[in-house]
Amino acid sequence: MRLVERDTELSVLEGMLDACVGGRGGVALVSGAVGSGKTALLRAFRERAAPTGALWLQATAVGAEKEVPLRVAGQLMRTAEAAGASGEPAGWLPPVVAGGAPARAAEGGIPAEVAVEFFPRWSGILFAQARNRPVVVCIDDVHQADAYSLECVLHMVRRLDVSRILVVLGESVGSDWEDNKTRQELLMRPACRFVQVGPLPRDGVVAMTAAGQKGRRSAPPVSEFHRLSGGSPLLVRALLDDYEDVGRAGDAGGAGLVPGAAYERAVALCLNRCDALTRRTAWVLAVLGPQAEQVEPAEVLGVPRAAAERSLRGLHRMGLLAGGRFRHACGRAAVLRRAEPPGCGRLQARVARVLYEHGAPAAVLARHLIAAEPVDAPWVLPTLLEAAESALARNDVGPALDCLRAARDACSDERQVLKVRVALMRAGWRVDPSSAVRHLPALTDAALAGRLTARDAKALVGHLLWFGRADEALEVLRAADEQREGEKREGEGVAGGGVPGERAPGGGVRSVWDLARLWCAYGYPGPGRSCRAAVAGGAYRNRSEAAGGAGPTAEQGNQQRALALMASVLDQQAAGDVVARAERILHETRPEDRTPAAGLAALVALVVADGLREAARWCDILLAEARERRTPMWQALFASVKAFIEIRLGELAAAEESAHTALTVVPPEGWGAAVAVPVAALLYAKAAMGRLDEAAAHLLVPVPDAAFRTPGGLLYLWARGHYHLAAGRPYAALEDFHRCGDLMARWDLDLSELVPWRADAARVYVSLGDDRRARPLLEEELTRPGARRPWTRGVALRGLAALAERGDRPRVLGEAMDLLQQSGHRLELAYAMAELSYTYWDMNDGSRARVAARKAQQLMRECGIRSPVLKASPVGAAGSYASGRPTAGGAARPAAELSGAEQRVAALAARGYTNRQIAGALFITISTVEQHLTRAYRKLGVQRRTDLATRLKQDGADGAGLDGCGDGPVRDCLRAG
């Protein structure tokens, strides 16, 4: 890039060269900031000097060679030798120049050999050359030259008055060179001229940007270039490169200027060419950020204020700073990434100490303490804990974990270490639950030994339950009870009553343990039965459920209220409007005070109470808050609950997406025993949509045994049972449904609103033609004591319709559909409508059958089932009716005692229907059709379909076919026709 706005400086140098040619030597000290264009100016001056025939001797000092004696002087002499001007071979040079070991004089002075022999001889060579032609000695970056070479140059400068030698020295400002004695003497010489290379004015920036525009359609924003570069040609050029990169990326008309990679590289280059103190000053400013206005760099660096201010001036002149701050955040980022000094950990510790003395907040101090080497001070641990708590309140879990890890490394007191471990466990669970596992053994031992506070022990119990360690959680609770009883006896003996550390009922230590017991009682209903009895019979439950569902006291808190409501719903003892109470709890809780425990408890109460629309709305609210708080575990929890809400609402595609989100945000290994819940939602949704291969893949997700001690395990068994039913394995489905029933009975949690296992098992028996086992299950479901939700009655009635007489089926199904439509369970409604269509076909009422079929198809499409001709589904597989009633074809029961299902399949096969058509007609899978046919062949003693008609004694004229209209076309029973 061409030199701009340097005509004045060039004219000064040219005037000095003219004087040199005339016999008056001199010294020019060209001074400017790094990146100001000094080297370009010297290069341009060399081009101007070439026509005069002057001998140009060039050297460039390098900071890494500053301790090598006579390095610069040797460069100059080799330049002269290369030009054929030295007249002597290099062998005359002292060992320090010729490549030997550095020579050192006593007490750091110049060795006599060098001062007496080398300096005069070196100067003599140059003076001899100056008799023949002008000599220009140019040393760039002279501030980095070795002390020997500086003395050598100074020796020559003292004798320049009547010579034809011009010495041109380029220096950078902002270093201790400004106070160097050699520089001071040079400036005091009469023949020395000081040439200041300042920042480019706006016109100079205009000239540079115009030269760099290169045919762009939009003019570069000159004011921004000038502001961001501070007039530094190096930074202007870097900004132009970034501007061109933006144009090549397709934003040629963009009006903004954003520093990018080129600007960052230029900043790093500037700092690399500075002295160590300037680099450290820049880094301290970058580390301090906004706090740099309160703290002087000299305090942190431990250097005199004058030295720090000199470095600051250099950074300002470089164009990096303006008003003591970086001109752009990219500059600060470049310093932090590319200019980290040695021993930065010590500097960070020094920054933290100085900021603490200035009263900086804990969050600011913690940022430096995390990056610092260990700081031994009493304020460190409280500061880190306060910063962690503050970060968690802002939902910045990552910084909170960093603070807690630093606190763990900083503390030596055992109780403090335990407190930090609990905090690490709780914070880590929000983003990576699996990270909490490593803390459980040590914290469990501490809890059993009574070394944890009640609140910390309650948190431990929750995490033990999460990872399936219910027995250990119960041990912790028992140990706490024993400790409380011991404290209570001691208190009674000393003070006549009262429990130390325990407030009145409704708060304090007792309520904390009651919360833990509630989670244990309903999270693990089997092993937690004792907890359930203790809490249900205590004052906590009495107050929570008092006055017909009146609101709990303010001291109990939102989590206590929500848990009490959930417990009362699961115990089927809730009074009043559960949906209204759950919504009131959520409404009255401020967003910043909401916890996943309280939200989950309230949502469970809403779902079990069949407040599906309200639960879905609150799920969306809680999910949005969890995303805003950047807490993956909270997002996953609420997404899994939302998936089951959507399943009940018949929104299968949405349920699949929610469950997939839950397992994506937090992978299965982080779910502990709760992994059964999102996996169950995916399994059911995909099976219901007929994607059995995809559903089967989810059976490979490891579900720990502990999951089957939780309600989540019930949901998994329920979903797996429906998958088995859809896949044509009815006996495997029955096993899962009955296992649900056994567990629920054992846990005293037989709640159809949670898992309607009786209705599901009964429909499997119906599909197998086993009416004897189906009817008692359905009648028990319909006559069980206690309040029942309408949808559970609707599901049971749908199953009972299959056992009713042909003429009663439409009435029973109609009642079921009314209940299902009222409660919003669209998938169950769709299957009931499909069975109504089949019933009308069975009654030869084709008109009504087609209407019902169209409605069923539409409902199923809305639920996410894509196929317009419905096949088997997890719930619709029981669409056929039991034996003892005439089939659509009127086939009589053969002597081989076929089951009802076998008879129906055999009758349709005898009429010529394919296995696929039979499966669609009877709402079963092709595999189930094949199994029924195999058994029918064996019982009837036939080997081909053509023999079925004879054995079944079927008169083709009697059967109306699936259409109910004689020889009508073969069709699926739900095709609208």
Side-chain angles (χ1 to χ4, degrees):
M1 184 173 288
R2 68 186 183 90
L3 193 67
V4 296
E5 291 294 329
R6 299 298 183 218
D7 294 339
T8 301
E9 293 85 350
L10 274 175
S11 64
V12 171
L13 294 176
E14 288 175 349
M16 295 186 71
L17 179 61
D18 292 341
C20 173
V21 173
R24 297 194 313 277
V27 179
L29 186 59
V30 182
S31 180
V34 174
S36 61
K38 299 185 307 299
T39 301
L41 176 64
L42 297 179
R43 191 179 299 116
F45 175 54
R46 182 175 184 175
E47 294 174 359
R48 300 282 182 94
T52 66
L55 173 63
W56 187 279
L57 303 181
Q58 177 72 43
T60 301
V62 180
E65 300 175 345
K66 193 170 185 177
E67 300 301 322
V68 181
L70 293 175
R71 175 63 74 184
V72 172
Q75 283 189 56
L76 291 170
M77 195 51 59
R78 289 190 180 89
T79 305
E81 183 180 337
S86 68
E88 297 189 37
W92 70 273
L93 297 173
V96 295
V97 179
R104 297 182 181 277
E107 299 180 358
I110 303 296
E113 175 191 359
V114 177
V116 175
E117 297 183 11
F118 178 74
F119 288 176
R121 194 168 185 180
W122 185 86
S123 300
I125 292 172
L126 297 185
F127 282 117
Q129 289 297 320
R131 296 189 191 100
N132 301 322
R133 53 177 171 168
V135 176
V136 179
V137 178
C138 180
I139 303 176
D140 198 5
D141 291 338
V142 69
H143 57 285
Q144 300 191 101
D146 60 279
Y148 286 41
S149 296
L150 291 175
E151 284 294 329
C152 188
V153 171
L154 193 57
H155 180 276
M156 178 183 62
V157 167
R158 293 173 183 140
R159 295 160 178 80
L160 282 181
D161 295 341
V162 289
S163 69
R164 293 200 297 170
I165 297 177
L166 174 62
V167 178
V168 181
L169 305 174
E171 68 167 10
S172 292
V173 297
S175 68
D176 56 359
W177 163 254
E178 295 182 20
D179 299 328
N180 189 279
K181 292 181 180 180
T182 301
R183 183 177 187 271
Q184 299 301 326
E185 182 174 343
L186 285 171
L187 290 173
M188 292 175 64
R189 304 297 301 178
C192 181
R193 292 286 302 275
F194 183 77
V195 181
Q196 176 70 51
V197 180
L200 292 175
R202 191 178 189 281
D203 291 342
V205 175
V206 170
M208 287 192 70
T209 54
Q213 188 171 353
K214 297 181 180 178
R216 291 166 80 57
R217 289 180 295 174
S218 62
V222 176
S223 59
E224 283 296 287
F225 274 94
H226 189 255
R227 182 182 67 83
L228 293 175
S229 68
S232 167
L234 177 64
L235 297 182
V236 171
R237 183 172 183 176
L239 290 168
L240 277 171
D241 289 342
D242 287 331
Y243 193 65
E244 291 171 8
D245 289 342
V246 172
R248 283 193 292 270
D251 190 19
L257 174 63
V258 180
Y263 181 83
E264 184 174 321
R265 289 193 298 269
V267 170
L269 178 61
C270 287
L271 293 174
N272 288 338
R273 291 170 60 184
C274 293
D275 67 312
L277 180 58
T278 302
R279 287 196 297 272
R280 293 172 70 202
T281 302
W283 188 81
V284 166
L285 288 173
V287 166
L288 284 170
Q291 279 69 42
E293 298 177 359
Q294 306 170 14
V295 178
E296 292 187 7
E299 286 187 83
V300 177
L301 295 169
V303 299
R305 179 177 295 179
E309 289 178 350
R310 185 173 56 232
S311 293
L312 284 172
R313 286 197 302 272
L315 292 169
H316 277 85
R317 291 174 184 174
M318 274 185 240
L320 298 184
L321 303 182
R325 307 181 72 173
F326 286 92
R327 290 179 177 271
H328 194 275
C330 185
R332 179 176 176 233
V335 174
L336 291 173
R337 279 197 290 264
R338 297 173 177 257
E340 186 175 282
C344 61
R346 290 192 301 275
L347 271 179
Q348 286 278 20
R350 181 66 183 164
V351 169
R353 288 191 184 97
V354 172
L355 287 174
Y356 175 74
E357 293 168 0
H358 282 262
V364 174
L365 295 174
R367 187 171 65 248
H368 301 292
L369 288 171
I370 291 167
E373 62 183 18
V375 179
D376 186 14
W379 53 268
V380 172
L381 182 60
T383 297
L384 289 169
L385 293 177
E386 180 185 347
E389 184 178 352
S390 176
L392 287 175
R394 299 191 308 271
N395 302 296
D396 291 333
V397 182
L401 287 171
D402 292 338
C403 291
L404 291 170
R405 294 187 189 106
R408 177 193 58 197
D409 298 338
C411 66
S412 55
D413 180 72
E414 184 185 5
R415 287 191 175 275
Q416 292 288 358
V417 170
L418 291 173
K419 184 179 182 66
V420 172
R421 276 185 175 273
V422 172
L424 276 169
M425 177 184 67
R426 298 179 67 177
W429 183 84
R430 293 194 189 186
V431 292
D432 181 15
S434 59
S435 66
V437 176
R438 66 176 70 100
H439 302 290
L440 296 181
L443 291 175
T444 301
D445 292 341
L448 294 176
R451 298 198 305 272
L452 289 186
T453 66
R455 200 164 297 278
D456 289 346
K458 179 252 181 183
L460 171 63
V461 168
H463 286 82
L464 288 171
L465 294 175
W466 178 263
F467 289 105
R469 303 184 180 187
D471 296 331
E472 295 176 49
L474 288 170
E475 286 183 26
V476 172
L477 289 173
R478 280 193 291 268
D481 286 340
E482 292 172 4
Q483 183 181 359
R484 281 176 50 188
E485 287 301 320
E487 291 175 352
K488 184 176 181 179
R489 286 193 295 270
E490 291 178 10
E492 290 173 349
V494 174
V499 180
E502 188 169 317
R503 295 197 300 269
V509 176
R510 174 173 293 170
S511 65
V512 169
W513 287 118
D514 282 346
L515 287 174
R517 287 191 183 86
L518 273 169
W519 279 121
C520 194
Y522 295 94
Y524 288 81
R529 185 179 293 108
S530 59
C531 296
R532 187 174 176 185
V535 176
Y540 176 89
R541 172 62 59 81
N542 294 338
R543 279 196 312 277
S544 301
E545 298 297 318
T553 61
E555 290 81 3
Q556 287 180 294
N558 61 314
Q559 186 175 167
Q560 294 169 318
R561 298 165 62 201
L563 279 170
L565 178 61
M566 179 192 76
S568 66
V569 171
L570 294 178
D571 287 341
Q572 305 182 56
Q573 295 178 0
D577 188 343
V578 172
V579 173
R581 290 172 60 193
E583 286 207 277
R584 184 166 64 246
I585 290 172
L586 291 169
H587 269 300
E588 292 174 357
T589 306
R590 296 180 305 171
E592 58 270 22
D593 293 336
R594 289 193 185 117
T595 62
L600 283 173
L603 288 174
V604 169
L606 282 172
V607 172
V608 175
D610 212 27
L612 298 181
R613 294 298 178 189
E614 295 82 357
R617 181 170 59 85
W618 276 106
C619 245
D620 290 336
I621 294 172
L622 294 171
L623 264 172
E625 291 176 1
R627 293 190 192 100
E628 185 178 349
R629 295 183 178 192
R630 303 183 299 280
T631 49
M633 192 64 250
W634 295 12
Q635 295 179 46
L637 282 171
F638 294 130
S640 64
V641 175
K642 186 181 181 188
F644 272 96
I645 294 170
E646 289 162 340
I647 284 173
R648 292 200 173 178
L649 288 172
E651 299 170 1
L652 297 177
E656 178 193 0
E657 182 180 353
S658 296
H660 183 268
T661 298
L663 288 171
T664 302
V665 173
V666 175
E669 56 269 19
W671 277 87
V675 71
V677 178
V679 173
L682 271 177
L683 183 60
Y684 183 94
K686 290 188 175 181
M689 290 187 287
R691 291 150 53 188
L692 297 182
D693 291 340
E694 295 179 37
H698 297 299
L699 292 175
L700 302 178
V701 177
V703 177
D705 292 340
F708 298 100
R709 305 172 78 187
T710 71
L714 297 176
L715 296 176
Y716 184 85
L717 291 171
W718 172 77
R720 191 174 67 181
H722 283 295
Y723 163 77
H724 285 317
L725 189 56
R729 295 191 285 274
Y731 295 104
L734 277 175
E735 183 179 351
D736 281 339
F737 293 146
H738 278 295
R739 188 178 174 191
C740 282
D742 293 342
L743 289 174
M744 295 171 79
R746 194 184 312 160
W747 297 344
D748 193 21
L749 196 66
D750 196 351
L751 196 64
S752 299
E753 288 83 352
L754 189 62
V755 173
W757 70 271
R758 289 182 181 82
D760 293 331
R763 288 202 300 275
V764 178
Y765 283 127
V766 169
S767 71
L768 294 172
D770 194 345
D771 299 359
R772 181 176 58 83
R773 287 189 173 90
R775 189 179 298 276
L777 288 172
L778 292 170
E779 290 176 349
E780 182 183 2
E781 177 65 36
L782 290 169
T783 59
R784 291 180 64 215
R788 301 264 76 80
R789 303 297 168 188
W791 76 272
T792 60
R793 178 175 176 81
V795 170
L797 286 173
R798 184 169 79 84
L800 192 63
L803 304 177
E805 294 298 327
R806 180 185 302 179
D808 291 336
R809 290 176 205 162
R811 177 186 58 78
V812 177
L813 285 172
E815 183 181 351
M817 288 189 294
D818 289 342
L819 293 171
L820 293 171
Q821 186 169 19
Q822 172 189 343
S823 58
H825 289 247
R826 291 191 302 162
L827 186 59
E828 289 286 348
L829 175 63
Y831 288 124
M833 186 67 71
E835 291 175 6
L836 180 63
S837 172
Y838 183 85
T839 297
Y840 282 138
W841 285 119
D842 199 33
M843 297 172 65
N844 293 323
D845 191 342
S847 176
R848 289 184 180 180
R850 290 185 181 89
V851 171
R854 291 192 189 98
K855 291 180 179 179
Q857 283 182 313
Q858 181 61 32
L859 281 170
M860 289 185 179
R861 288 193 191 99
E862 292 173 0
C863 290
I865 300 175
R866 298 176 183 176
S867 175
V869 178
L870 295 181
K871 301 176 182 177
S873 65
V875 184
S880 53
Y881 300 113
S883 59
R885 292 174 299 276
T887 65
R893 185 132 183 126
E897 290 297 325
L898 295 181
S899 71
E902 292 164 357
Q903 179 183 354
R904 287 187 291 277
V905 170
L908 293 175
R911 295 193 190 104
Y913 291 98
T914 66
N915 288 0
R916 182 177 297 277
Q917 292 168 338
I918 296 171
L922 300 180
F923 299 99
I924 57 178
T925 64
I926 295 174
S927 175
T928 302
V929 172
E930 293 170 350
Q931 293 174 31
H932 287 329
L933 282 176
T934 299
R935 287 192 291 270
Y937 286 170
R938 185 176 64 252
K939 291 179 180 180
L940 295 175
V942 300
Q943 297 181 350
R944 296 184 302 275
R945 288 182 181 240
T946 54
D947 297 331
L948 282 174
T950 303
R951 290 294 308 205
L952 292 173
K953 301 177 182 180
Q954 181 178 8
D955 184 1
D958 294 338
L962 289 180
D963 273 345
C965 53
D967 293 329
V970 174
R971 61 173 305 282
D972 188 294
C973 71
L974 286 185
R975 190 176 298 279

